């Protein structure tokens, strides 16, 4: 019967229906029938590859892919890329977006092949490829149609490499050079001269001077400028921006130590349409003249002034004129009190995100006012606001139905009753309760039973809660993918047994839980197949049986911390050889593992490791051959 | 004597008082000029003079500076030289056909030398007229080797002409046309190695001061302070207080922007400029750097400047130009479309070495592409098998395959028995048997991507 209904649907209709589905539903869709699977294969436009072995087959199966994410693909190197290039059946001509973040083993040869293969390439992400240098940049510059390029933390990239990209890809309109520490004024200057279409530029953490800002100011179309923590740029440099970059919409000068409010005033004067002003931890005080100029920004949506001295009256003046404000950051601001916050809440009813971290004088009254006025509030950060109690949380539960993110880390006033109120925010996705000592299983039970959409839960050092609470969470929050239980000393194997019900869990921190043994870990490993990050630091009582189970079941594990674990030589070898996706390993203070054990274990996984932490003496005890291979494969070793 | 550095010589070139010309000894080997050709040249020069009446009027002032006593002196010198010449020609006639090559060469050299001295002295007999006129004697009149031509043309502009060269006004370059006088040296004149020649022995010098020092060797009359003093320039000469016209120079190369016929003619300031411009732009670059063996120059001073810094130019552009400074390279790249910095070769070596090392340590293959590809195909097949059948417990194969790419047999671990692994494996099998079987390839594609 059902078969006939399905066969009545034409392929066009199926494609349309498919278009309305969420990503998780699409997975189920694939399993319905051959026809459905075919629709999925043809309609799919983006894919994230977890295992390099399947890459050619998947590329062949999905001919209409426009986005390919290889950032979590271990063993991806030049040879794999060359093999794809030689395989004629694979069609990559429609590929527009390519994510090669952390693909440290892909060097110039592979990059050039990829750039030539994907002719329509527009977006590339090579961030955190520490081996990405000038030759790699030269290879990538073959992709002349590139529009967006992310090169965060490409530590070997110098001005020469940037110049290659700038000359080769002159259509760039978005580039991020965050942490590319070798880039200097010359590179930035050339970038600004050659890529006139640039709309978004990130030069955070670079050692560039005012000269760069002078060049940047000449970019006619620049809209977003991020220059977080540029220690050499001062007011004189920022003043170039007053009359430059006429379409500037967003500027971030967070932690630029030498920047003061005077240059911010000049930027504001020159750009009355500015929408996002992020100046955290760079201005010490909100002066009257600054306030006066900020008032003129009628379209201001985001204002970050964390760390500045703010008076109630200035908050009132500010909120009175910038009524479009949707995001305000006043964390660590001295002088933020209830009066100011209540005035703000009255005026800025569109507020969606509010960061009040470390504003110690804010009480329930302010929170209540915000909750009642700002009905669209989605994100609220209240870390270390010690005066907040259940009353404030009650208002949040009553009014803030759209709240998605709530950070209550280190709030002493949060108790079980407070959690009960919070649980009424049924749209909550991220909840942080770290260091809240006054919560117990009872409160957690409310969260588990009502916040079914929760994706992330942080219970770091919540000493008062135990296995029963965890059971409630595991029952209720099925979509949880990030769970932090570090130093929750009450947890035992019984609780761990419950965790296995969380099938979507990808990130689990169990640091310092002494009561979990091999049995508990085996249960987790068996249940949470998607686990990619596991922190077992100082879980001293887990024996080899747990690690063996881990080695056999957690095939998706990408990052693991085994510091101070009592893992044996053999178990470590099993783990490292069987976990074929493992890329980042912390192996410090493993008392039961011998040097030979390390040698064996590392040889087993040396072709996929990207980050490794070891005790410093091992540098001389491990064979140089092994270390060379690790280095050649782009693995970075931190010697502790 | 001829020790002055090149640039110094060139700086003083303008002030050279060209009294007389003689052939430099090193130039004698070439050519065998005929006397009547030089006569023709003088007639050409006369024509030239007539043709440029306009200019002649300008130089009327200079004509007065002409000294009849010098002329007499020169005439007697010429007489003496003509006698020498006659003697030589008789000698040639007497031994007609019996001359050996070497002798012939010697005689020819002598002949050339004397004839040139004659011509140069004859030139000095003329009332001093500016011979650097725009239509100086064309090369058609001197279809002869270079030095002969040089000398002939240089002969024509001796006397007062040279004194004007010193007059290198430092005005800006935007002189309105007509506000300055255009001179055009001939190619041969520009390329002449020396501009000052000893009237007695014919040795050539670049600087007149060097010539005067040299002259001391020819007799006491050259040792007087008056003879050694710098010859009076035009300003210092009595009766020359008429206002001077600014001199600018034209390049003789047709079509050159520095040529006066060019639409947007930009004159050259000094004779030094003319010389350097002509050599740099219109001559072969015959001086090659002895260090890099790639850079070539036509002006020797440029070569010397380059050699000082050669090897320090580590900033290389894709067009082949090198720069000693990074900012210069980036300025160059900003200026030219399509130019990019070249990645230095040093960078390629380590990575190539690393990849070959990787290749060899991986499977003992040499570092060629095909080998690498086949190797990785193999390893991928292993991996495939490994992941698709995670529960296959047939011991060693799957276990050891996962220990790729380093093979265990190669390495020798002291005191770490292999059997431990085998044992553990057995243990694992037994413990794993209690567990539910795992699905193969646990979700290879996650749907979380956007």
């Amino acid at each position: 019967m059902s078969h006939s209904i399905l066969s009545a649907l034409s392929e066009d209709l199926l494609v349309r229906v498919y278009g309305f589905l969420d990503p998780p539903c699409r997975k189920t869709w694939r399993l319905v029938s051959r026809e459905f699977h075919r629709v999925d294969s043809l309609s799919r436009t983006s894919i994230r590859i977890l295992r390099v072995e399947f890459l050619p087959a998947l590329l062949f199966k999905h001919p209409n892919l426009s986005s390919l994410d290889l950032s979590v693909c271990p063993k991806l190197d030049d040879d794999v890329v060359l093999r794809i290039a030689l395989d004629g059946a694979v069609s990559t001509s429609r590929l527009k977006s390519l994510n090669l973040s952390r693909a440290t083993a892909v060097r110039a040869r592979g990059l050039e092949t990829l750039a030539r293969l994907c002719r329509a390439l527009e977006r590339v992400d090579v961030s955190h490829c520490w081996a990405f240098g000038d030759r790699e940049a030269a290879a990538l510059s073959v992709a002349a149609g590139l529009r967006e390029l992310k090169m965060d933390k490409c530590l070997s990239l110098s001005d020469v490499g940037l110049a290659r990209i700038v000359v080769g890809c002159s259509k760039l309109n978005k580039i991020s050079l965050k942490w590319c520490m070798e880039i200097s004024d010359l590179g930035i200057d050339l970038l600004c001269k050659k890529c006139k279409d640039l709309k978004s530029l990130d030069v955070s953490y670079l050692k560039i001077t005012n000269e760069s800002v002078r060049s940047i100011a000449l970019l006619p179309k620049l809209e977003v400028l991020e220059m977080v923590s540029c220690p050499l740029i001062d007011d004189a440099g920022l003043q170039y921006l007053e009359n430059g970059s006429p379409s500037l919409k967003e500027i971030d000068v967070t932690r630029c130590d030498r920047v003061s409010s005077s240059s911010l005033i000049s930027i504001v004067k020159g750009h009355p349409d500015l929408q996002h002003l992020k100046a955290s931890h760079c201005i010490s005080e909100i002066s009257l003249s600054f306030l006066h100029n900020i008032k003129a920004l009628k379209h201001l949506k985001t204002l970050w002034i964390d760390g500045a001295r703010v008076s109630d009256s200035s908050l009132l003046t500010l909120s009175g004129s910038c009524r479009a404000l949707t995001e305000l950051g006043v964390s660590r601001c001295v002088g933020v009190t209830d009066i100011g916050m209540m005035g703000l809440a009255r005026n800025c009813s569109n507020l969606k995100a509010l960061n009040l971290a470390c504003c110690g004088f804010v009480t329930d009254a302010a929170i209540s006012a915000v909750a009642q006025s700002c009905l669209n509030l989605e994100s609220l950060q209240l870390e270390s606001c010690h005066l907040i109690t259940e009353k404030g949380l009650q208002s949040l539960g009553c009014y803030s139905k759209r709240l998605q993110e709530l950070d209550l880390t280190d709030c002493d006033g949060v108790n079980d009753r407070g959690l009960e109120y919070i649980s009424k925010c049924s749209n909550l996705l991220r909840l942080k309760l770290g260091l809240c000592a006054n919560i117990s299983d009872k409160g957690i039970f409310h969260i588990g039973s009502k916040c079914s959409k929760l994706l992330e839960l942080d219970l770091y050092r919540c000493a008062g809660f135990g296995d029963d609470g965890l059971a409630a969470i595991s029952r209720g929050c099925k979509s949880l993918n990030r769970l932090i239980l570090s130093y929750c000393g009450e947890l035992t194997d019984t609780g761990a047994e419950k965790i296995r019900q969380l099938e979507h869990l990808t990130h689990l921190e169990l640091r310092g839980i002494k009561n979990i043994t091999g049995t508990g870990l085996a249960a987790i490993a068996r249940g949470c197949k998607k686990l990619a990050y596991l922190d077992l630091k100082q879980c001293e009582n887990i024996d080899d049986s747990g690690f063996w189970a881990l080695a056999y079941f957690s095939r998706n594990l990408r990052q693991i911390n085994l510091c101070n674990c009592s893992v044996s030589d053999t178990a470590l070898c099993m783990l490292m050889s069987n976990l074929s996706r493992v890329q980042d390993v912390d192996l410090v203070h493993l008392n039961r593992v011998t040097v030979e054990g390390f040698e064996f274990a590392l040889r087993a996984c040396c072709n996929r490791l990207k980050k490794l932490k070891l005790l410093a003496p091992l540098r001389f005890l491990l064979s140089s051959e092994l270390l060379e291979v690790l280095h050649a494969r782009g693995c970075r070793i931190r010697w502790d | 004597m001829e020790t002055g550095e090149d640039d110094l010589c060139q700086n003083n070139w303008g002030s050279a008082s060209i009294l007389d010309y003689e052939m430099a000894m090193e130039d004698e080997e070439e050519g065998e000029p005929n006397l009547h050709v030089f006569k023709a040249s003088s007639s050409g020069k006369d024509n030239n003079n007539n043709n440029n009446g306009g200019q002649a009027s300008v130089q009327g002032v200079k004509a007065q500076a002409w000294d009849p006593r010098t002329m007499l002196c020169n005439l007697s010198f010429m007489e003496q030289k003509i006698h020498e010449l006659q003697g030589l020609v008789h000698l040639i006639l007497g031994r007609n056909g019996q001359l050996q090559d070497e002798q012939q060469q010697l005689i020819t050299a002598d002949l050339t030398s004397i004839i040139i001295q004659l011509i140069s002295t004859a030139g000095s007999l003329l009332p001093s007229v500016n011979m650097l006129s725009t239509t100086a004697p064309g090369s058609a009149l001197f279809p002869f080797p270079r030095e002969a031509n040089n000398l002939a043309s240089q002969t024509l502009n001796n006397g007062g002409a040279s004194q004007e060269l010193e007059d290198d006004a430092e005005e800006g370059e935007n002189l309105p046309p007509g506000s300055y006088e255009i001179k055009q040296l001939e190619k041969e004149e520009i390329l002449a190695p020396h501009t000052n020649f000893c009237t007695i022995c014919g040795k050539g010098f670049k600087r007149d001061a060097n010539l005067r020092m040299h002259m001391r060797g020819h007799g006491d009359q050259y040792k007087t302070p008056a003879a050694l003093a710098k010859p009076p320039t035009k300003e210092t000469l009595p009766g020359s207080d008429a206002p001077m016209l600014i001199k600018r120079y034209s390049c003789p190369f047709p079509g050159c922007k520095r040529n006066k016929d060019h639409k947007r003619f930009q004159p050259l300031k000094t004779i030094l400029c003319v010389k350097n411009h002509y050599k740099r732009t219109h001559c072969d670059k015959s001086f090659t750097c002895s260090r890099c063996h790639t850079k070539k120059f036509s002006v020797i001073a440029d070569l010397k400047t380059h050699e000082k810094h050669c090897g320090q130019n580590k900033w290389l552009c894709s067009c082949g130009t090198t720069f000693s400074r990074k900012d210069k390279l980036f300025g160059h790249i900003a200026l030219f479309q399509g130019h990019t910095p070249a990645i230095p070769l040093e960078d390629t070596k380590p990575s190539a070495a690393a990849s070959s090392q990787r290749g060899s340590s991986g499977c003992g293959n040499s570092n060629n592409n095909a080998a690498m590809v086949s190797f990785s195909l193999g390893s991928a097949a292993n991996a495939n098998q490994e992941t698709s059948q995670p529960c296959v417990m047939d011991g060693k194969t799957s276990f050891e395959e996962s220990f790729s790419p380093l093979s265990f047999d190669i390495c020798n671990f002291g005191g770490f028995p292999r059997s431990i692994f085998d044992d553990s494996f057995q243990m694992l099998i037994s413990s794993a048997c209690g567990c539910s079987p795992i699905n193969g390839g646990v979700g290879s594609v996650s749907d979380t991507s956007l």
Side-chain angles (χ1 to χ4, degrees), chain A residues 149-212:
Chain A
L149 182 56
K150 201 172 172 192
M151 302 199 285
D152 298 0
K153 232 171 193 175
C154 289
L155 294 175
S156 319
L157 182 75
S158 80
D159 287 337
V160 171
L162 181 61
R164 293 293 293 242
I165 285 179
V166 159
V167 173
C169 320
S170 54
K171 290 178 188 164
L172 276 178
N173 56 32
K174 184 173 182 181
I175 189 166
S176 174
L177 299 168
K178 203 187 280 183
W179 285 302
C180 295
M181 303 309 283
E182 302 284 311
I183 300 291
S184 75
D185 287 343
L186 287 174
I188 301 294
D189 182 55
L190 191 70
L191 172 72
C192 298
K193 277 180 184 157
K194 294 279 184 179
C195 298
K196 287 289 181 194
D197 294 337
L198 219 54
K199 284 184 180 164
S200 170
L201 174 62
D202 191 341
V203 290
S204 301
Y205 306 98
L206 299 192
K207 299 271 181 288
I208 52 171
T209 69
N210 292 341
E211 284 306 306
S212 285

Side-chain angles (χ1 to χ4, degrees), chain A residues 548-549 551-553 555 574 578, chain B residues 385-386 388-401 421-439:
Chain A
W548 285 335
Y552 267 93
F553 295 105
R555 291 312 190 93
M574 287 301 297
N578 258 20
Chain B
Q385 186 192 12
E386 168 201 330
S388 57
Q389 301 173 325
C391 264
V392 174
M393 292 297 172
D394 52 5
K396 287 179 190 171
T397 51
S398 98
F399 186 75
E400 283 181 8
E401 265 169 15
F421 283 93
D422 298 333
D423 289 347
S424 76
F425 207 76
Q426 295 306 318
M427 283 162 67
L428 191 76
I429 292 167
S430 57
S431 70
C433 283
C435 310
S436 58
I438 320 142
N439 292 331

